[in-house]
Amino acid sequence: MIDTIKFDIPVHLSEDEISNIKWTKTNTTVSKKNGTRPTAFHFIHDEQRIGDPHILYVYKQDEPSKSWLKVEVSVPKFMYGNNLKEIDHRDLQSFMSLLRKHIADKLNLTLPRIPSLWTTEVEKLHLCKNFYVGNLKQQYLQALSKAKKARHKKQIYYQSGTENVESVYWKTNSRTEKVYDKDAEMASNKKENSQPQKTKGTIRYEVELSNYELRKLSNKRIADEVLNFSSLEKILGGYLDNLGISQSRSVDTVMKAIKVSTLNQKQKQHLIQFAKVFFVEGELCCRTLYSRSKFYELKKELETLLGVSSLLITERSLHPLEIKKETVQ
């Protein structure tokens, strides 16, 4: 459920300590507003090691006491070398201890110099869920590519040279959600592809929580309060519900519901034609073929008939994507 975490850790290094650290990369920038106040950036990250944390130390060169230590890491990749394994409470306890020791080792500091990570601030948090859907993978991705989310910009990416959906993104200014073909992602990542292939038939959902959501969990975004599994499970469950898969109905189910309804023959014909266009051509095309009022009239009539609040017609019946279920097939 928990994937990437970015910590803001209160650690101050002396000039001697900074010079004795083996940094991967260093950089200095000068503020456009005040050219006499350069800021130094020091990075540590081993690109050859899967899951190696990104460690960033930033300080003002003319005022070194103003410093920030940021550490960003994928919890499952750090612990297991891939993000297929889902993190539980015991994993998180071990992770916090191991990461603290890793940071101390990389910075050549004694362990007490690094505060307990449970007391530090969480600057970023990604939640995730893997779903094994077997040979229904494209059915799910195609259905999700049709899902609309209010106030979100949707982007769909396809496998090169095909009509197969590879990933779907929904973005706002404060949040990004995505669902993607985990098989394709692993195949394209040479390092992760060296791991045993356990993703066949798997799709993955990820969401980055907004600053507002983090502060609802903890006003000061303290890790011990933010990383509460019960609270995070509710948040993730809400996002999965909003994907609309639970509202989906197969095209056969839709046609049958229309035919056995109490509508007159003319109304049935109109709804059948509408449903076919909506399914085959998609909602956007459907909107261009009907007047605004007629589109919403038929859409609402069909939603009422099917007992759903949002219309999503799929080739086959799809089970909802839920946290508790290991498979959906």
Side-chain angles (χ1 to χ4, degrees):
M1 182 171 62
I2 293 176
D3 187 0
T4 300
I5 308 176
K6 185 176 182 179
F7 296 96
D8 189 345
I9 306 171
V11 170
H12 172 65
L13 302 174
S14 68
E15 291 185 16
D16 286 342
E17 287 172 333
I18 292 172
S19 62
N20 288 328
I21 295 171
K22 188 177 180 180
W23 302 102
T24 307
K25 181 182 177 183
T26 60
N27 188 27
T28 302
T29 62
V30 177
S31 171
K32 293 181 180 180
K33 293 182 179 179
N34 189 339
T36 63
R37 301 196 63 185
T39 302
F41 297 83
H42 290 62
F43 304 87
I44 300 177
H45 175 62
D46 182 358
E47 293 185 354
Q48 301 306 310
R49 180 183 180 275
I50 297 174
D52 194 61
H54 292 260
I55 299 174
L56 169 64
Y57 186 72
V58 185
Y59 65 96
K60 299 290 185 181
Q61 287 190 331
D62 61 347
E63 196 174 354
S65 61
K66 287 191 175 182
S67 60
W68 304 266
L69 177 64
K70 314 279 188 180
V71 178
E72 184 170 346
V73 59
S74 166
V75 181
K77 286 184 180 180
F78 177 76
M79 296 287 287
Y80 302 106
N82 63 67
N83 58 10
L84 298 177
K85 175 79 165 61
E86 294 199 357
I87 300 301
D88 60 25
H89 299 78
R90 289 167 296 181
D91 290 318
L92 194 58
Q93 290 286 348
S94 299
F95 161 77
M96 297 294 255
S97 298
L98 290 171
L99 180 60
R100 183 178 178 227
K101 184 177 185 304
H102 177 88
I103 296 168
D105 290 344
K106 289 294 184 179
L107 298 181
N108 295 327
L109 300 176
T110 60
L111 191 59
R113 286 284 303 279
I114 308 298
S116 167
L117 297 183
W118 293 105
T119 67
T120 63
E121 184 177 349
V122 175
E123 193 171 293
K124 179 191 295 184
L125 178 62
H126 290 192
L127 302 182
C128 65
K129 181 67 180 175
N130 294 320
F131 295 96
Y132 173 72
V133 296
N135 59 9
L136 294 178
K137 183 174 61 178
Q138 264 309 303
Q139 297 288 333
Y140 273 91
L141 290 170
Q142 291 285 349
L144 289 165
S145 72
K146 298 175 183 178
K148 292 182 63 179
K149 296 174 71 70
R151 298 182 296 278
H152 285 69
K153 180 180 179 181
K154 181 170 67 176
Q155 293 178 306
I156 305 169
Y157 297 91
Y158 297 88
Q159 293 177 6
S160 179
T162 75
E163 294 183 354
N164 289 338
V165 176
E166 193 164 275
S167 60
V168 185
Y169 287 72
W170 297 270
K171 297 181 179 181
T172 68
N173 291 333
S174 61
R175 181 193 306 110
T176 297
E177 294 177 68
K178 65 179 177 179
V179 62
Y180 58 92
D181 181 342
K182 186 61 179 171
D183 302 353
E185 190 250 2
M186 290 286 282
S188 66
N189 189 317
K190 293 181 180 179
K191 288 189 292 183
E192 288 192 52
N193 198 33
S194 64
Q195 302 296 316
Q197 182 62 281
K198 299 178 181 178
T199 65
K200 192 170 179 60
T202 299
I203 60 174
R204 180 178 176 85
Y205 172 81
E206 294 180 7
V207 59
E208 178 181 344
L209 299 192
S210 66
N211 180 55
Y212 173 76
E213 289 169 314
L214 292 176
R215 293 196 183 278
K216 279 187 69 176
L217 293 167
S218 171
N219 186 47
K220 294 185 177 180
R221 303 189 301 190
I222 302 304
D224 189 41
E225 298 170 349
V226 169
L227 303 178
N228 179 296
F229 269 73
S230 178
S231 299
L232 295 178
E233 190 173 89
K234 290 179 182 177
I235 293 173
L236 181 57
Y239 277 114
L240 292 172
D241 287 343
N242 288 336
L243 290 176
I245 290 296
S246 61
Q247 302 279 313
S248 70
R249 298 292 185 270
S250 71
V251 65
D252 288 342
T253 298
V254 173
M255 295 304 163
K256 184 177 180 179
I258 296 172
K259 290 175 182 178
V260 301
S261 71
T262 59
L263 298 171
N264 63 46
Q265 196 60 33
K266 187 175 181 179
Q267 289 173 316
K268 289 180 180 180
Q269 289 175 348
H270 283 316
L271 272 188
I272 288 173
Q273 182 60 33
F274 177 83
K276 286 180 177 178
V277 175
F278 196 97
F279 170 63
V280 176
E281 304 295 342
E283 182 174 341
L284 290 179
C285 180
C286 200
R287 286 173 180 269
T288 65
L289 298 176
Y290 293 86
S291 67
R292 178 181 173 84
S293 60
K294 194 62 177 179
F295 172 83
Y296 282 107
E297 176 191 329
L298 292 171
K299 182 172 180 286
K300 182 63 178 176
E301 192 171 349
L302 194 51
E303 287 171 343
T304 302
L305 184 64
L306 298 172
V308 299
S309 58
S310 180
L311 187 60
L312 180 59
I313 304 175
T314 56
E315 185 176 339
R316 295 171 61 179
S317 295
L318 303 176
H319 291 289
L321 300 177
E322 297 175 338
I323 293 178
K324 298 293 185 182
K325 295 185 178 181
E326 292 300 319
T327 67
V328 295
Q329 199 175 16

Short mmCIF file of all heavy atoms in Angstrom, two decimals, residues 77-97:
data_model
loop_
_atom_site.label_atom_id
_atom_site.label_comp_id
_atom_site.label_asym_id
_atom_site.label_seq_id
_atom_site.Cartn_x
_atom_site.Cartn_y
_atom_site.Cartn_z
N LYS A 77 11.02 -1.22 -2.86
CA LYS A 77 12.26 -1.41 -3.62
C LYS A 77 13.48 -1.40 -2.70
O LYS A 77 14.44 -2.16 -2.91
CB LYS A 77 12.39 -0.33 -4.69
CG LYS A 77 11.46 -0.51 -5.88
CD LYS A 77 11.72 0.54 -6.94
CE LYS A 77 10.78 0.36 -8.13
NZ LYS A 77 11.03 1.37 -9.18
N PHE A 78 13.47 -0.56 -1.68
CA PHE A 78 14.57 -0.50 -0.73
C PHE A 78 14.66 -1.81 0.05
O PHE A 78 15.76 -2.32 0.31
CB PHE A 78 14.35 0.67 0.24
CG PHE A 78 15.41 0.79 1.32
CD1 PHE A 78 16.66 1.30 1.03
CD2 PHE A 78 15.13 0.41 2.62
CE1 PHE A 78 17.63 1.42 2.02
CE2 PHE A 78 16.09 0.53 3.62
CZ PHE A 78 17.34 1.04 3.32
N MET A 79 13.50 -2.36 0.40
CA MET A 79 13.47 -3.57 1.22
C MET A 79 13.66 -4.85 0.39
O MET A 79 14.34 -5.78 0.83
CB MET A 79 12.13 -3.66 1.97
CG MET A 79 11.90 -2.54 2.97
SD MET A 79 12.93 -2.69 4.44
CE MET A 79 12.13 -4.06 5.27
N TYR A 80 13.05 -4.90 -0.81
CA TYR A 80 12.99 -6.16 -1.54
C TYR A 80 13.51 -6.11 -2.98
O TYR A 80 13.51 -7.12 -3.68
CB TYR A 80 11.55 -6.67 -1.56
CG TYR A 80 10.99 -6.88 -0.17
CD1 TYR A 80 10.05 -5.99 0.35
CD2 TYR A 80 11.43 -7.92 0.64
CE1 TYR A 80 9.55 -6.15 1.64
CE2 TYR A 80 10.94 -8.09 1.93
CZ TYR A 80 10.00 -7.21 2.42
OH TYR A 80 9.52 -7.37 3.69
N GLY A 81 13.91 -4.92 -3.44
CA GLY A 81 14.46 -4.82 -4.79
C GLY A 81 13.43 -4.69 -5.88
O GLY A 81 13.76 -4.63 -7.06
N ASN A 82 12.13 -4.65 -5.53
CA ASN A 82 11.06 -4.41 -6.50
C ASN A 82 9.85 -3.91 -5.73
O ASN A 82 9.84 -3.93 -4.49
CB ASN A 82 10.71 -5.69 -7.28
CG ASN A 82 10.19 -6.79 -6.38
OD1 ASN A 82 9.11 -6.68 -5.82
ND2 ASN A 82 10.96 -7.86 -6.24
N ASN A 83 8.83 -3.41 -6.46
CA ASN A 83 7.65 -2.90 -5.77
C ASN A 83 6.43 -3.81 -5.94
O ASN A 83 5.29 -3.36 -5.91
CB ASN A 83 7.33 -1.47 -6.21
CG ASN A 83 7.09 -1.36 -7.70
OD1 ASN A 83 6.98 -2.36 -8.40
ND2 ASN A 83 7.00 -0.13 -8.19
N LEU A 84 6.70 -5.10 -6.11
CA LEU A 84 5.61 -6.07 -6.17
C LEU A 84 5.14 -6.46 -4.77
O LEU A 84 3.96 -6.70 -4.54
CB LEU A 84 6.06 -7.33 -6.93
CG LEU A 84 6.45 -7.13 -8.39
CD1 LEU A 84 6.94 -8.43 -8.98
CD2 LEU A 84 5.27 -6.58 -9.17
N LYS A 85 6.07 -6.55 -3.85
CA LYS A 85 5.74 -6.91 -2.47
C LYS A 85 5.00 -5.75 -1.81
O LYS A 85 5.44 -4.61 -1.87
CB LYS A 85 7.03 -7.20 -1.69
CG LYS A 85 6.85 -7.48 -0.21
CD LYS A 85 6.38 -8.89 0.04
CE LYS A 85 6.56 -9.28 1.51
NZ LYS A 85 5.83 -8.48 2.48
N GLU A 86 3.88 -6.07 -1.18
CA GLU A 86 3.12 -5.03 -0.50
C GLU A 86 3.58 -4.91 0.95
O GLU A 86 3.75 -5.92 1.65
CB GLU A 86 1.62 -5.33 -0.58
CG GLU A 86 1.11 -5.25 -2.00
CD GLU A 86 -0.39 -5.08 -2.08
OE1 GLU A 86 -1.05 -5.07 -1.03
OE2 GLU A 86 -0.89 -4.95 -3.21
N ILE A 87 3.81 -3.70 1.37
CA ILE A 87 4.37 -3.42 2.68
C ILE A 87 3.32 -3.55 3.77
O ILE A 87 2.22 -3.00 3.67
CB ILE A 87 4.98 -1.99 2.70
CG1 ILE A 87 6.08 -1.89 1.65
CG2 ILE A 87 5.51 -1.63 4.08
CD1 ILE A 87 7.22 -2.86 1.82
N ASP A 88 3.66 -4.28 4.86
CA ASP A 88 2.76 -4.35 6.01
C ASP A 88 3.39 -3.63 7.20
O ASP A 88 4.47 -3.04 7.10
CB ASP A 88 2.40 -5.80 6.35
CG ASP A 88 3.62 -6.65 6.71
OD1 ASP A 88 4.65 -6.08 7.15
OD2 ASP A 88 3.55 -7.88 6.56
N HIS A 89 2.74 -3.70 8.37
CA HIS A 89 3.21 -2.97 9.55
C HIS A 89 4.63 -3.38 9.95
O HIS A 89 5.47 -2.53 10.27
CB HIS A 89 2.27 -3.22 10.73
CG HIS A 89 0.87 -2.75 10.50
ND1 HIS A 89 -0.04 -3.48 9.74
CD2 HIS A 89 0.22 -1.63 10.91
CE1 HIS A 89 -1.19 -2.83 9.71
NE2 HIS A 89 -1.06 -1.71 10.40
N ARG A 90 4.89 -4.68 9.92
CA ARG A 90 6.22 -5.15 10.34
C ARG A 90 7.29 -4.69 9.36
O ARG A 90 8.40 -4.33 9.77
CB ARG A 90 6.21 -6.68 10.44
CG ARG A 90 5.39 -7.21 11.62
CD ARG A 90 5.16 -8.69 11.51
NE ARG A 90 4.35 -9.01 10.33
CZ ARG A 90 3.97 -10.25 10.01
NH1 ARG A 90 4.33 -11.26 10.76
NH2 ARG A 90 3.23 -10.45 8.93
N ASP A 91 6.97 -4.71 8.07
CA ASP A 91 7.92 -4.21 7.06
C ASP A 91 8.28 -2.75 7.34
O ASP A 91 9.44 -2.34 7.24
CB ASP A 91 7.32 -4.30 5.66
CG ASP A 91 7.20 -5.72 5.16
OD1 ASP A 91 8.12 -6.51 5.38
OD2 ASP A 91 6.17 -6.04 4.55
N LEU A 92 7.26 -1.95 7.68
CA LEU A 92 7.49 -0.53 7.88
C LEU A 92 8.36 -0.27 9.09
O LEU A 92 9.23 0.61 9.07
CB LEU A 92 6.14 0.21 8.02
CG LEU A 92 6.20 1.73 7.92
CD1 LEU A 92 6.78 2.15 6.57
CD2 LEU A 92 4.81 2.32 8.09
N GLN A 93 8.16 -1.05 10.15
CA GLN A 93 8.99 -0.92 11.35
C GLN A 93 10.46 -1.20 11.00
O GLN A 93 11.36 -0.45 11.37
CB GLN A 93 8.52 -1.88 12.45
CG GLN A 93 7.18 -1.53 13.07
CD GLN A 93 7.26 -0.34 14.02
OE1 GLN A 93 8.34 0.10 14.40
NE2 GLN A 93 6.11 0.20 14.37
N SER A 94 10.68 -2.29 10.28
CA SER A 94 12.05 -2.65 9.89
C SER A 94 12.64 -1.61 8.94
O SER A 94 13.81 -1.24 9.06
CB SER A 94 12.05 -4.02 9.20
OG SER A 94 11.57 -5.02 10.06
N PHE A 95 11.80 -1.14 8.00
CA PHE A 95 12.24 -0.16 7.02
C PHE A 95 12.76 1.11 7.71
O PHE A 95 13.82 1.63 7.35
CB PHE A 95 11.09 0.19 6.08
CG PHE A 95 11.28 1.49 5.34
CD1 PHE A 95 12.13 1.57 4.26
CD2 PHE A 95 10.60 2.64 5.75
CE1 PHE A 95 12.30 2.77 3.58
CE2 PHE A 95 10.77 3.84 5.09
CZ PHE A 95 11.63 3.90 4.00
N MET A 96 12.01 1.62 8.68
CA MET A 96 12.41 2.87 9.34
C MET A 96 13.76 2.72 10.05
O MET A 96 14.59 3.64 10.03
CB MET A 96 11.33 3.29 10.34
CG MET A 96 9.99 3.61 9.70
SD MET A 96 10.02 5.05 8.63
CE MET A 96 9.19 6.26 9.68
N SER A 97 13.99 1.56 10.63
CA SER A 97 15.27 1.32 11.31
C SER A 97 16.41 1.17 10.31
O SER A 97 17.49 1.75 10.48
CB SER A 97 15.18 0.05 12.18
OG SER A 97 14.21 0.19 13.19
#
